[in-house]
Amino acid sequence: MSKRKQSQGCRPIVRRTFLFLIGIALARVLADYFAIAQNRNNFLTLAGQMWQKSLAFLSKQQSNQTPLPLPKNPVVKIQKNPQTLPNNPIVKAQETTQPNAKNPPAVQSQPQIIRRSANQAKPVQVSSKTVAGASFYLTTIDLADPEIYITIGLANDAALANNSQVTHGDEPFENMVARYRAAVVANGTFFGKDDQKAVLGNMVAAGKFLKYSRWENYGTTLGIKAGNQLEMVTARIEGKPDWSQHWFSLTCGPRLVKQGKVWLSPLSEGFKDSHVLGVGSRTAIGFPASRDKLFLVTFLDSLSLEAEAKVMRAIGCFEAMNLDGGASVGLAHRGQILLPPGRNLTNVLAVYDREYPAPAQLKQSWERFQKGDRPTPDKSVFFD
């Protein structure tokens, strides 16, 4: 055999040996790196952010399709991709439209009582917008409208929310849309991913406690009090809210906007989940300085908490907080599902108007609340 052939025959062996040694060295380096818990958490967070960005890119590519008209009658129709609402051109807000030091939002020193007027009656407004590069559906809930009511719907028509001792399960979003027959149905607050699927945070709907724990001390609470007075309270910063004064109350977070300024302190609120702290699909709710309406924002793009907060501030929110996100993000308008969640849900927000009227018992509970009726947690039901 010639020397040239012998040399060529050795090359594959040398190459394999070299790669094998490199592989062993790399494996040892990775083992040492991932032996540290902080490194593992950093890697998982980075991987999650890259995955969310990939989903956001694919979502943008798929969303460039012909929009479908929204039906006037209640129907349940799941669309595979989010559709742009017809007759609502995309509005792009420049950074210069955001509040700044020269033009700060007005500060409300006293809660404002919003009087309901028949002259205000009109359907819930849902539009498609793009602000600061983020696309979203904006639902405007006018609290001065006597026919608009907001409440919380639970999976399987349960009377109480899931907790650590009792579970009522979860349910497909389309089933909840069909049952509640509201003008708008959207995802609500966080819940556990285990078999118990415990809802996180105290809840009040129609002047009744759906979940209560006297030890509740995390996140941010949006409350509607008598006279449609709105408040937003971050428990570990401002003290616990008085849930017994709420006709409607939802605890979630983190807080995004406080007194017209971007305000982010998720760790101090008790949030540690990388899915909440990183980049992901999001939903948010807030209200302007006038406190006469609510803005429910369902984002079509994955974004960070900071980017979400800047958008909420740009659309005019004086106070705003994050809601459940990720695979829970869902939105239906007039019975048509615009954005289907990727999982079953345990709770949803339901908004009624004159075209999709609220149930009689919801209206009656509002009247009783205005006359002084207040929710009291039943000690035989709610236990710690």
Side-chain angles (χ1 to χ4, degrees), residues 251-300:
T251 299
C252 201
R255 196 169 189 156
L256 302 171
V257 179
K258 183 178 180 180
Q259 296 185 346
K261 298 179 180 179
V262 171
W263 192 92
L264 292 169
S265 187
L267 295 179
S268 66
E269 290 191 52
F271 293 98
K272 299 179 181 179
D273 192 334
S274 60
H275 294 90
V276 176
L277 303 179
V279 175
S281 302
R282 300 196 180 276
T283 306
I285 194 166
F287 52 84
S290 59
R291 298 174 185 256
D292 59 348
K293 59 179 66 72
L294 288 169
F295 297 137
L296 174 65
V297 177
T298 306
F299 289 92
L300 303 179

Side-chain angles (χ1 to χ4, degrees), residues 8 104 122 130 248 289 354 359 366:
Q8 291 177 347
K122 58 185 178 182
T130 298
F248 168 92
R354 64 182 175 87
W366 170 259

Side-chain angles (χ1 to χ4, degrees), residues 9-182:
C10 291
R11 287 178 180 175
I13 297 175
V14 173
R15 186 164 54 249
R16 292 193 198 99
T17 303
F18 176 76
L19 293 175
F20 178 73
L21 294 175
I22 291 295
I24 292 177
L26 182 60
R28 293 190 62 178
V29 171
L30 291 175
D32 292 340
Y33 178 81
F34 287 113
I36 302 174
Q38 184 62 41
N39 291 341
R40 292 196 300 270
N41 292 337
N42 291 340
F43 175 78
L44 292 175
T45 299
L46 178 61
Q49 291 176 354
M50 294 178 64
W51 175 249
Q52 292 292 349
K53 288 180 180 180
S54 299
L55 292 179
F57 176 77
L58 292 175
S59 177
K60 284 184 177 181
Q61 296 298 316
Q62 294 174 353
S63 62
N64 294 326
Q65 298 183 8
T66 304
L68 298 178
L70 295 180
K72 295 183 179 179
N73 298 318
V75 297
V76 177
K77 186 176 181 180
I78 300 178
Q79 303 297 330
K80 294 183 179 179
N81 302 307
Q83 304 292 336
T84 302
L85 296 178
N87 302 322
N88 286 293
I90 293 177
V91 178
K92 294 187 177 182
Q94 304 298 325
E95 293 295 329
T96 54
T97 63
Q98 297 184 8
N100 51 49
K102 296 181 179 180
N103 186 28
V107 176
Q108 289 287 94
S109 57
Q110 296 293 333
Q112 181 180 357
I113 296 177
I114 305 300
R115 304 294 183 184
R116 292 183 176 233
S117 171
N119 296 329
Q120 299 291 118
K122 58 185 178 182
V124 172
Q125 301 297 305
V126 179
S127 58
S128 179
K129 296 182 179 295
T130 298
V131 173
S135 300
F136 55 87
Y137 289 121
L138 172 62
T139 301
T140 302
I141 304 167
D142 188 350
L143 297 179
D145 187 330
E147 298 300 326
I148 287 183
Y149 295 86
I150 182 171
T151 190
I152 298 171
L154 299 177
N156 302 306
D157 205 18
L160 301 174
N162 296 340
N163 57 46
S164 58
Q165 288 80 25
V166 179
T167 181
H168 306 286
D170 54 15
E171 188 177 12
F173 184 63
E174 56 267 29
N175 291 3
M176 302 173 85
V177 171
R179 179 170 65 252
Y180 292 111
R181 298 178 65 84

